[in-house]
Amino acid sequence: MNEKFLFQLTVEDFKKLLSEQNPATPVSQPVKQERNLVYGYEGLAKLLGVSRSRAITTKNNGSITGCYFKVGHKLVFDADAIIETLKKQTQV
């Protein structure tokens, strides 16, 4: 088996080769973390309990920078990150 190219190995040969190289390392699946997302200014206003215009002002003044992204024309806010950011700002 040592004389074959990698693309010539069968699936069984490849698995055997991998298990010989690191037998103690288990193959694990990445953990998907659920994110609490809020869509649009209306969603942000509802999350913060303020009017739509106040939500726009909060986004535009830079106090939640990095807590949102755009998908096309739609703004998507990470609710957990916004809550944490605003908590830190009010504690300072």
Side-chain angles (χ1 to χ4, degrees), residues 4 22 29 33 48 69:
K4 288 184 179 179
N22 356 338
Q29 296 294 328
Q33 186 177 14
L48 299 177
F69 55 94

Side-chain angles (χ1 to χ4, degrees), residues 1-11 13-14 17:
M1 185 166 57
N2 291 337
E3 298 175 10
K4 288 184 179 179
F5 290 107
L6 184 61
F7 68 89
Q8 293 175 327
L9 294 177
T10 63
V11 173
D13 291 339
F14 186 68
L17 182 65

